[in-house]
Amino acid sequence: MNKTIDSLQVTASTLVNALGNGKRFTLDAMFDGSSGLRNSSYPEMNFNTFLGLVDKVEDVELEDHLAKFSCRNNKLAKLALDVDNFRDEVDRAVNKYGKNRIGVFIGTSTSGIAETENAYIGRDKNTGKLLNIDMLYTNNTGSVQRYVCRSLGLTGVGMVISTACSSSAKVFASAHRYITAGLCDAVIVGGVDSLCLTTLYGFNSLQLISQDICRPWDKNRQGINIGEAAGFMLLEKSNNNNCIHLTGYGESSDAHHISSPHPEGVGGKIAIEKALVSSGIKPSDVDYINLHGTATLSNDYSESKGLSSAFNPEIMCSSTKGMTGHTLGAAGINEAIICTLALENSIIPANINLRTIDDNLPIRVPTKCIKQSLNHVMSNSFGFGGSNCSLIFSC
Amino acid sequence: MLNNTVYINGISVIAPGMEDSNKSLEILKGNMDWHPEALSKMTPSSLPANEARRTTIVIRLALKAIDSIDYKNDTLAVFASSEGDLDITDKICKSLSTKEKMVSPTLFHNSVHNTPAGYFSIATGIQTASVSLSAGDNTFSAGLIEALTQVLIEKNDVLLVAYDNVIPSNLECFRHFEYPVGIALLLSADKHLDTIGSIEGSVINNQKSVTQCFNKSLEKMRIGNPIGMGLPLIEALVKGASVEIVIPYVNQNQLSIKVNNV
């Protein structure tokens, strides 16, 4: 089959999540199967669960001239921009292409809403007046894209995509189109989603939060642990065959239910098939799939159904959400970077926390990491509203 | 840059005093002044009653803007909104500031930025992709560029709907929109018998003056809501004018749109 899109080279990346600040902590966990999830507390949270918190986000100080962007989400973004040598790589790209020729496409679900929550919690008891906030720079869904542009000194095209848990997977598709259309020569794609009461209490109201550590693909899985993460990748037109490339993307809608996936995984399957077509590979060419694998009853069932109709049952899959938690709008980039680490280091990460196999899930997952050379890996992300995206990375 | 022609095969504007399509057309052609009137409940015909009951003003504003557009069942869709549903943010944050912190499950699942896109796909059964985006005050131009790249690269029709409601009273002192506005455009690589006009978009550095509304009475809507920035383009298309429209875009860039009568 011929590929229908050109590959984009992954030149640099950076990742901050509950495992640590920098990709090497996530890579360590991929080898040793450790988890960043802790039975921890969060201000104003009064129920019990495990969380994938990033250490000391609240202590981060933004650049003086960008202080008005100050909120947990943009602080988390800065943590990621500051590690993994990412700023140096961006500077190199700026020298090569110019600051106005690098697009910035970021996914987030809740942006800086934690600031707004605090404004209500701290409101004046007598007048009802909220604490002062700069909504356009914190709460606004587009805030993090503007913060990243200004922090990196970039002046090109871009936007925020906010499609719940597929947000920072879909940025790859849009960014690819902008490069193909000639609107930019390189792109920074990424995702940033930070802990907030809205998602903690919201998912709790839907009875989708596990009190226990989350157990994707387990027969007794009870739901998600919410995590936070920020990650970015620099993608350029390909000129080096020895690098890892984004080789495929596919997007679809479930058209089924606003907060439940299609039970047979039909929407997910459409996204997977489109990704395969765009990269010109067959299902049997895929060496590993990083699952959406949230550990809710419905997601894991629906996803396994969709996968089993697209792949043969021996396909190698795992969910890494037992390590990082479900990082929601940052899940796409978190797991895209895990896929590139898998390719670089020839490792399939374990599906940790799995104790009891669920016979209703037709796809099996390894509970120990597997060292094996990989050519093509896929990452799946499915969001509320039935928004699905599947990505393929190759080396 | 984007130098390929894209055809506009459908247009709709929903705003106070512009719900009647004939009247709306006269205002957009410049034959009548615009006077804001209260918006109706905006019940979109596409939603079954049980789904419609769970919707909010923002969801109905987005879906009502699409209502009169004749799209195919494999259309791609771009949903562009600066603020999404702040009525829901307001209600959830109020709950979170109480001791019990009881968040309604319906409110929460309606709170994501892509909720209108979700209802759209459920109502129509359309399983092709949609994207939901924001770019602060430049959300209309960001949505239009996303739609243009999708038409050109994915070689498919794209339904663009851009919408923002007014800000709830608790948050109005931090951000203020004068009126709710919803604009929908059907973009296509193909010219049809009922094609309204064609556009060519390109991103330029900030150097030209931003196009104002031709009908001066619409200026307060253009500057009173980020989505209002799209009104001069709609006016040019409706009038069949061949002009260049300049709209602000991210990072102090601008979107230049050459509109042509076809």
Side-chain angles (χ1 to χ4, degrees):
Chain A
M1 282 182 286
N2 291 326
K3 64 214 304 303
T4 60
I5 64 165
D6 291 331
S7 300
L8 291 180
Q9 182 184 329
V10 179
T11 311
S13 61
T14 173
L15 180 62
V16 166
N17 58 30
L19 293 164
N21 295 4
K23 285 182 291 185
R24 66 192 168 95
F25 295 99
T26 295
L27 183 61
D28 288 348
M30 290 166 68
F31 276 103
D32 66 22
S34 56
S35 176
L37 298 171
R38 303 280 177 269
N39 194 343
S40 37
S41 60
Y42 180 78
E44 298 280 335
M45 185 182 85
N46 57 15
F47 62 88
N48 201 34
T49 178
F50 281 65
L51 296 175
L53 284 167
V54 173
D55 213 18
K56 298 197 170 83
V57 182
E58 51 283 354
D59 297 342
V60 174
E61 286 190 21
L62 301 188
E63 300 88 334
D64 285 347
H65 67 291
L66 301 177
K68 60 187 170 186
F69 284 98
S70 195
C71 63
R72 189 175 182 91
N73 213 52
N74 292 332
K75 289 177 177 187
L76 190 58
K78 182 167 190 292
L79 276 180
L81 294 175
D82 287 345
V83 290
D84 286 326
N85 219 20
F86 194 70
R87 288 183 189 272
D88 290 345
E89 291 289 341
V90 174
D91 287 345
R92 184 198 54 75
V94 169
N95 285 333
K96 185 172 175 187
Y97 300 111
K99 63 182 180 180
N100 66 339
R101 292 294 299 168
I102 303 174
V104 176
F105 299 81
I106 313 290
T108 187
S109 70
T110 47
S111 191
I113 201 167
E115 286 298 299
T116 313
E117 293 167 357
N118 288 334
Y120 280 76
I121 289 167
R123 69 195 298 172
D124 188 297
K125 294 285 177 291
N126 297 318
T127 64
K129 195 172 167 3
L130 305 186
L131 295 180
N132 201 31
I133 47 171
D134 197 329
M135 277 184 73
L136 181 59
Y137 288 86
T138 57
N139 185 95
N140 184 269
T141 303
S143 158
V144 66
Q145 193 267 350
R146 278 175 285 137
Y147 169 69
V148 170
C149 284
R150 294 194 197 173
S151 183
L152 295 173
L154 301 177
T155 60
V157 297
M159 61 183 170
V160 157
I161 290 181
S162 189
T163 54
C165 306
S166 64
S167 303
S168 60
K170 286 174 73 75
V171 290
F172 286 86
S174 287
H176 193 287
R177 285 188 284 264
Y178 279 61
I179 286 191
T180 309
L183 287 160
C184 49
D185 297 316
V187 289
I188 288 163
V189 291
V192 187
D193 236 1
S194 45
L195 255 287
C196 60
L197 295 172
T198 300
T199 47
L200 286 167
Y201 278 89
F203 278 108
N204 204 35
S205 77
L206 293 170
Q207 299 179 307
L208 293 176
I209 286 197
S210 173
Q211 287 194 4
D212 185 14
I213 196 163
C214 73
R215 302 186 185 282
W217 242 246
D218 190 290
K219 186 180 180 191
N220 301 312
R221 63 190 182 278
Q222 290 170 6
I224 65 171
N225 294 154
I226 297 182
E228 54 188 354
F232 303 100
M233 260 190 209
L234 174 60
L235 303 176
E236 302 172 52
K237 283 183 192 166
S238 181
N239 55 16
N240 181 350
N241 289 332
N242 297 321
C243 281
I244 290 166
H245 289 77
L246 169 73
T247 54
Y249 66 80
E251 303 170 274
S252 72
S253 305
D254 271 1
H256 172 68
H257 187 271
I258 205 74
S259 61
S260 301
H262 190 287
E264 298 297 314
V266 170
K269 187 188 172 200
I270 296 171
I272 287 166
E273 286 171 344
K274 286 190 172 188
L276 289 169
V277 167
S278 71
S279 69
I281 63 172
K282 304 185 295 292
S284 57
D285 294 328
V286 176
D287 298 309
Y288 166 65
I289 300 174
N290 187 289
L291 300 166
H292 190 52
T294 60
T296 65
L297 278 175
S298 60
N299 174 83
D300 294 4
Y301 180 75
S302 146
E303 186 173 7
S304 70
K305 286 296 224 185
L307 285 172
S308 66
S309 64
F311 293 91
N312 82 43
E314 282 75 46
I315 182 75
M316 198 57 81
C317 305
S318 68
S319 164
T320 46
K321 287 192 168 68
M323 299 175 180
T324 64
H326 187 356
T327 60
L328 307 176
I333 191 72
N334 187 41
E335 287 144 34
I337 291 175
I338 288 173
C339 283
T340 61
L341 290 171
L343 285 166
E344 268 170 7
N345 298 279
S346 300
I347 182 169
I348 290 173
N351 190 100
I352 67 165
N353 304 341
L354 174 64
R355 293 189 302 200
T356 314
I357 289 172
D358 185 346
D359 292 330
N360 291 320
L361 306 183
I363 299 283
R364 293 282 176 265
V365 295
T367 53
K368 294 272 182 270
C369 73
I370 298 168
K371 286 162 194 159
Q372 164 187 328
S373 148
L374 307 166
N375 291 320
H376 300 287
V377 301
M378 173 179 275
S379 178
N380 289 330
S381 299
F382 310 130
F384 268 19
S387 173
N388 310 305
C389 186
S390 184
L391 302 173
I392 298 175
F393 295 92
S394 310
C395 69
Chain B
M1 289 288 169
L2 297 168
N3 50 12
N4 291 308
T5 298
V6 168
Y7 296 96
I8 304 297
N9 293 338
I11 284 180
S12 160
V13 176
I14 297 291
M18 297 206 35
E19 288 183 89
D20 178 290
S21 57
N22 292 328
K23 190 171 148 195
S24 179
L25 204 58
E26 290 306 307
I27 295 167
L28 291 166
K29 282 181 177 168
N31 298 337
M32 260 176 87
D33 274 356
W34 173 62
H35 300 288
E37 292 162 18
L39 269 181
S40 74
K41 196 159 172 271
M42 300 183 292
T43 313
S45 61
S46 56
L47 274 185
N50 60 332
E51 294 284 354
R53 225 178 312 119
R54 289 200 286 264
T55 59
T56 61
I57 294 174
V58 167
I59 299 167
R60 294 197 299 274
L61 175 64
L63 296 189
K64 192 71 185 175
I66 302 169
D67 234 9
S68 62
I69 294 198
D70 187 16
Y71 49 83
K72 292 189 217 151
N73 63 6
D74 67 346
T75 186
L76 297 167
V78 174
F79 287 76
S81 177
S82 177
E83 292 293 347
D85 206 327
L86 287 177
D87 289 333
I88 292 184
T89 303
D90 178 50
K91 285 180 184 147
I92 289 180
C93 286
K94 264 190 222 155
S95 304
L96 292 172
S97 66
T98 64
K99 186 161 171 286
E100 299 74 21
K101 300 191 177 14
M102 296 288 285
V103 172
S104 138
T106 305
L107 270 187
F108 179 63
H109 74 53
N110 277 347
S111 74
V112 291
H113 202 69
N114 58 317
T115 299
Y119 280 97
F120 167 71
S121 71
I122 292 166
T124 59
I126 292 177
Q127 291 187 312
T128 40
S130 68
V131 67
S132 300
L133 64 90
S134 169
D137 286 338
N138 300 304
T139 295
F140 182 83
S141 50
L144 182 57
I145 292 181
E146 173 66 15
L148 288 169
T149 60
Q150 288 196 13
V151 171
L152 296 173
I153 307 299
E154 304 292 349
K155 306 195 175 9
N156 204 325
D157 282 6
V158 177
L159 180 59
L160 166 67
V161 55
Y163 55 94
D164 263 299
N165 190 16
V166 291
I167 313 279
S169 58
N170 274 319
L171 295 167
E172 231 195 342
C173 52
F174 308 125
R175 190 145 163 81
H176 178 77
F177 298 161
E178 239 10 89
Y179 313 100
V181 182
I183 293 179
L185 288 170
L186 181 62
L187 298 90
S188 175
D190 304 318
K191 188 178 163 186
H192 297 174
L193 281 174
D194 53 357
T195 288
I196 298 160
S198 73
I199 61 173
E200 280 175 68
S202 60
V203 176
I204 55 175
N205 292 329
N206 201 2
Q207 53 194 275
K208 297 190 172 175
S209 13
V210 169
T211 312
Q212 300 192 354
C213 285
F214 299 93
N215 183 339
K216 291 298 163 208
S217 67
L218 286 170
E219 262 301 278
K220 53 194 175 189
M221 195 194 320
R222 185 183 70 86
I223 57 175
N225 183 308
I227 306 309
M229 289 292 158
L231 286 169
L233 169 65
I234 305 302
E235 286 181 291
L237 286 162
V238 165
K239 287 153 74 90
S242 293
V243 287
E244 181 190 20
I245 304 290
V246 178
I247 308 179
Y249 180 50
V250 298
N251 290 326
Q252 271 80 54
N253 294 301
Q254 294 176 326
L255 174 59
S256 156
I257 309 155
K258 294 207 170 91
V259 182
N260 279 302
N261 189 3
V262 289

